[in-house]
Amino acid sequence: ASKGDVREKVWDYLEASGLADFPRPVHRRIPNFKGASHAATRLLGLQEFKAANTVKINPDAPQKNARFLTLEARKTLLVPTPRLRTGLFNKIVPPSGATKEILRICATSQGIKEYSVPVGLDGKARVDLVVVGSVAVSEKGWRIGKGEGYADMEYAMMVSMGAVQEDTPVVTIVHDCQVVDIAEELLDDHDLTVDYILTPTRTIKTNCKRPKPQGIIWHKVSYEMLGKIPILKSLRYREQQTGKDVTLQDEHSDLANANTPAALNEKAMAENTRPQAATGSAQIGQHYVESDSLSPRLEGSGMITTVYVGNISPSVRVSELKCALREFHATPLRLNWQGAQHRAFLDYKDKATAESAVSSLKGLSLGGNTLRVELAKNQRNKGQVEINSQK
């Protein structure tokens, strides 16, 4: 049986047996089930939970009571952002003097939106216990999720951030019918394993010896995934700066194709016919402007579109921003650096290229700050931008 077969069997059984709970149907989800709240109370009996200060719990419905119990125990609760679109974690911050009823609201999906603050890459988060959802899990600790890889990626990102250690315990909360035999050959090296399984009737210690992911396996990450999860870009840039190999899945294919005789011949011909680029730069007070002399004249074109980059840390140098721009394939025609104002303006040849750059740079963190990246508010004719319009 494939992972997909195992998932379908579990989803079908939960629905057919009347064990499935809202939201329905449970297919394509981390399934909610009758008895999920009771299963979560088994957390209270785990010494690892008692000793934990910070607990990361996924945002799915079957873990709602686990989130409430964590808040009620006055522990720090971190919840991954849905599909990792806007970062990695949200820290749930209940209002001062919150009652049990308020804490229960904080544990819901709506409460997570209303009572949370984002935790960035440089938030120095240290997670003592991880609670994940599962579609199926074996008593050996082998886990199958819903098939999108977010829990595995979340864990790998926490490793890269230094938020979890090799011995950080991982717990899953499932119905008894979700505990099944899973063939080891179905597991990959990026798959997360669990140390405890909590069901309505049992607490299972798996004693799993299979290593957990040691970080992000970049050659399994695609450009598409990088585009969907902005914080991945910052992690990749950070790891590249430390000398790690961050070649992506697509780049492995590109490299293989680039070394074929036809591709090498084409490259050689291109090198022979390519004009040599000359660059000019000028230091003007606190502003630094660099332009490529091969680019269209900025003042003569009405197509130029400018991107605003704000919230630049005082410690960041223009060279670091330029390096990041190259890395994310967002090199502009001209860079107008205004470090003293913690901002920069990037000129691109047209709106589509500018919007692509904004998408590529979203979520990028430099010097501890997540950059604010958007189209400049006042686009003026002939490529000029009113730099005072964006603070």
Side-chain angles (χ1 to χ4, degrees):
S2 68
K3 283 183 178 179
D5 294 333
V6 175
R7 290 185 191 104
E8 291 297 333
K9 188 175 179 181
V10 169
W11 284 326
D12 289 346
Y13 183 81
L14 283 166
E15 287 288 352
S17 63
L19 293 169
D21 210 343
F22 178 83
R24 305 276 299 278
V26 294
H27 293 76
R28 311 290 172 266
R29 305 179 193 272
I30 296 296
N32 199 10
F33 58 91
K34 292 172 181 174
S37 289
H38 177 63
T41 62
R42 293 182 174 275
L43 266 178
L44 303 176
L46 292 183
Q47 184 56 40
E48 289 86 345
F49 178 77
K50 294 175 185 175
N53 291 316
T54 300
V55 183
K56 172 260 165 189
I57 305 180
N58 71 300
D60 297 299
Q63 279 69 53
K64 182 170 73 172
N65 197 38
R67 296 191 293 273
F68 164 71
L69 294 171
T70 299
L71 292 172
E72 188 181 40
R74 300 295 184 253
K75 300 179 187 294
T76 298
L77 172 61
L78 299 179
V79 179
T81 62
R83 297 179 179 273
L84 304 175
R85 282 187 293 257
T86 57
L88 181 52
F89 297 132
N90 282 325
K91 177 182 175 183
I92 313 305
V93 184
S96 179
T99 62
K100 265 193 177 187
E101 289 68 30
I102 295 294
L103 292 180
R104 287 193 189 281
I105 292 171
C106 291
T108 65
S109 56
Q110 187 58 37
I112 291 169
K113 292 176 187 173
E114 293 181 11
Y115 297 101
S116 67
V117 294
V119 177
L121 282 183
D122 300 282
K124 309 296 182 217
R126 173 66 187 265
V127 176
D128 303 307
L129 183 73
V130 175
V131 180
V132 296
S134 302
V135 173
V137 66
S138 78
E139 291 194 15
K140 293 181 179 179
W142 301 341
R143 171 190 174 275
I144 295 177
K146 61 186 174 185
E148 296 181 345
Y150 285 105
D152 303 320
M153 180 58 75
E154 286 160 12
Y155 186 87
M157 290 165 76
M158 287 192 288
V159 172
S160 293
M161 288 172 64
V164 295
Q165 312 302 313
E166 202 171 332
D167 59 351
T168 303
V170 177
V171 178
T172 194
I173 301 171
V174 296
H175 192 274
D176 292 271
C177 73
Q178 293 173 258
V179 183
V180 299
D181 290 331
I182 297 173
E184 186 170 11
E185 55 263 28
L186 292 183
L187 300 189
D188 209 336
D189 49 4
H190 66 267
D191 285 327
L192 179 61
T193 56
V194 303
D195 303 295
Y196 288 94
I197 303 167
L198 309 183
T199 80
T201 66
R202 294 191 290 168
T203 296
I204 304 168
K205 186 173 183 179
T206 67
N207 296 308
C208 186
K209 297 294 187 286
R210 186 182 177 91
K212 292 183 175 66
Q214 300 300 300
I216 298 168
I217 304 171
W218 290 108
H219 68 263
K220 294 192 174 182
V221 176
S222 65
Y223 278 122
E224 182 184 10
M225 190 180 293
L226 205 66
K228 287 180 179 176
I229 307 176
I231 198 170
L232 260 184
K233 299 171 190 171
S234 294
L235 276 172
R236 184 173 182 242
Y237 180 71
R238 175 187 283 193
E239 294 202 359
Q240 185 181 46
Q241 298 303 99
T242 66
K244 290 187 180 177
D245 181 1
V246 295
T247 306
L248 300 180
Q249 185 184 79
D250 318 63
E251 291 175 325
H252 274 288
S253 303
D254 292 346
L255 286 172
N257 293 336
N259 288 326
T260 62
L264 291 171
N265 186 47
E266 188 177 323
K267 183 180 177 185
M269 289 178 65
E271 290 293 342
N272 288 338
T273 58
R274 183 180 300 149
Q276 295 300 307
T279 60
S281 62
Q283 188 82 28
I284 311 168
Q286 295 174 324
H287 294 190
Y288 173 92
V289 177
E290 178 171 295
S291 62
D292 184 337
S293 65
L294 286 178
S295 304
R297 284 179 54 82
L298 296 174
E299 287 78 12
S301 168
M303 296 191 305
I304 299 298
T305 303
T306 302
V307 170
Y308 165 81
V309 180
N311 197 36
I312 297 175
S313 167
S315 65
V316 170
R317 299 183 177 184
V318 65
S319 58
E320 294 175 75
L321 177 60
K322 287 162 63 181
C323 182
L325 292 172
R326 284 193 297 270
E327 169 62 22
F328 295 128
H329 306 290
T331 303
L333 298 174
R334 182 173 69 177
L335 165 65
N336 186 339
W337 172 260
Q338 300 178 18
Q341 288 78 37
H342 313 300
R343 66 189 182 190
F345 291 91
L346 316 175
D347 287 333
Y348 293 92
K349 65 179 182 179
D350 53 35
K351 188 174 181 182
T353 308
E355 287 175 340
S356 174
V358 170
S359 175
S360 296
L361 298 171
K362 281 282 188 189
L364 177 63
S365 176
L366 287 180
N369 288 4
T370 299
L371 301 182
R372 179 183 161 200
V373 185
E374 58 194 45
L375 294 181
K377 288 177 182 173
N378 285 4
Q379 301 287 343
R380 299 179 67 187
N381 292 336
K382 298 185 179 180
Q384 298 301 303
V385 63
E386 192 173 310
I387 62 174
N388 293 324
S389 65
Q390 227 143 349
K391 300 292 183 187

